[in-house]
Amino acid sequence: MALSVNLFARSLAEFETSRAMLPCLACACVLIAGKIEMIYPPAVEDLYFMTDQSNAPISERVFSLDDVIQYEGKVCNALSWRINCVTVQHFRTRLLESARLNARETGLFDYLLDLSHLEASLSSARPSKVAAACLYLTLRMFRRAGWNEDVEFYSSYSPADFANLVPLVHAVHARSEEGSYRAIYTKYRSSTRDRISLITALPVNQLGLEEH
């Protein structure tokens, strides 16, 4: 998911796309990301089927399967084939192991990481710092203690290094039921995800940044 969102944002910065063709661009980005990150990437037919276009009459379809394939090439060329990139997910394992998170804590950490992908205000920040901010909020939520020496050693950051990002991640968590975050909220509301998204965001006065 992280790479496909990154490709989508970078593509929009490189070329203009009409609103009607945004689902086509999204399919192309998921297709590219899948080929890089998955052993069995999704088929273009499956991605197309999940769009509204597959059920519309042929005369009313805005884009076709061929358009998705053409957009795949358009994205690659626009980005000069610099497809792969560092995302917050690259720091997930190292951080959760350094903090020794249990299953429920890991669930909230993953939820915050997924939410951070869609937040424009975090797009220019270093992914390692965004991931650290997500972990910091997870620790504050469950342990109140926040950062410790082990996490600081393995992350190479103290809370002061990402203090400006914590309020941004917190704000995303607080409004995660709304708008573009709704799909992720629903995903983590399921019983298989331990209903993590139902956890209420911390009050702002409990972020604890002044303690560091």
Side-chain angles (χ1 to χ4, degrees):
M1 174 184 169
L3 179 56
S4 57
V5 172
N6 180 276
L7 290 172
F8 186 82
R10 288 161 59 197
S11 297
L12 290 178
E14 293 295 331
F15 57 83
E16 293 185 1
T17 302
S18 67
R19 186 181 184 87
M21 292 298 287
L22 288 179
C24 182
L25 174 60
C27 286
C29 292
V30 172
L31 189 63
I32 296 168
K35 290 178 179 179
I36 292 176
E37 296 184 327
M38 302 172 68
I39 297 176
Y40 301 106
V44 63
E45 293 83 1
D46 293 335
L47 292 174
Y48 185 74
F49 179 78
M50 289 187 287
T51 69
D52 295 337
Q53 299 299 305
S54 61
N55 296 319
I58 294 178
S59 60
E60 297 179 10
R61 293 180 183 178
V62 179
F63 62 90
S64 64
L65 272 173
D66 288 340
D67 290 324
V68 176
I69 296 172
Q70 289 177 11
Y71 258 70
E72 182 183 11
K74 185 175 182 178
V75 170
C76 292
N77 289 325
L79 300 180
S80 301
W81 290 87
R82 295 174 181 172
I83 306 301
N84 218 345
C85 64
V86 177
T87 72
V88 293
Q89 294 297 336
H90 288 92
F91 304 93
R92 175 186 179 274
T93 301
R94 184 177 181 87
L95 289 178
L96 71 85
E97 289 182 352
S98 69
R100 299 178 178 85
L101 300 185
N102 60 35
R104 192 157 174 80
E105 291 168 340
T106 299
L108 180 60
F109 182 44
D110 286 339
Y111 181 48
L112 295 178
L113 289 177
D114 280 357
L115 289 173
S116 72
H117 299 155
L118 302 182
E119 178 52 37
S121 63
L122 295 170
S123 61
S124 60
R126 288 187 178 184
S128 56
K129 289 188 176 183
V130 175
C134 292
L135 178 62
Y136 176 87
L137 282 175
T138 299
L139 295 175
R140 290 295 300 184
M141 181 75 73
F142 285 103
R143 304 181 188 179
R144 301 299 186 206
W147 227 232
N148 59 46
E149 291 183 356
D150 286 343
V151 178
E152 185 164 333
F153 175 80
Y154 286 104
S155 69
S156 301
Y157 292 131
S158 69
D161 295 322
F162 53 80
N164 61 315
L165 301 178
V166 172
L168 299 178
V169 177
H170 174 266
V172 173
H173 186 201
R175 63 177 191 272
S176 57
E177 292 184 55
E178 305 171 4
S180 59
Y181 310 108
R182 186 70 187 180
I184 297 176
Y185 173 86
T186 302
K187 170 185 173 182
Y188 281 86
R189 191 179 59 188
S190 67
S191 57
T192 57
R193 294 282 182 167
D194 205 14
R195 305 191 188 283
I196 286 296
S197 62
L198 298 180
I199 297 176
T200 304
L202 276 174
V204 175
N205 61 4
Q206 293 183 20
L207 294 181
L209 293 171
E210 69 283 349
E211 299 172 9
H212 300 278

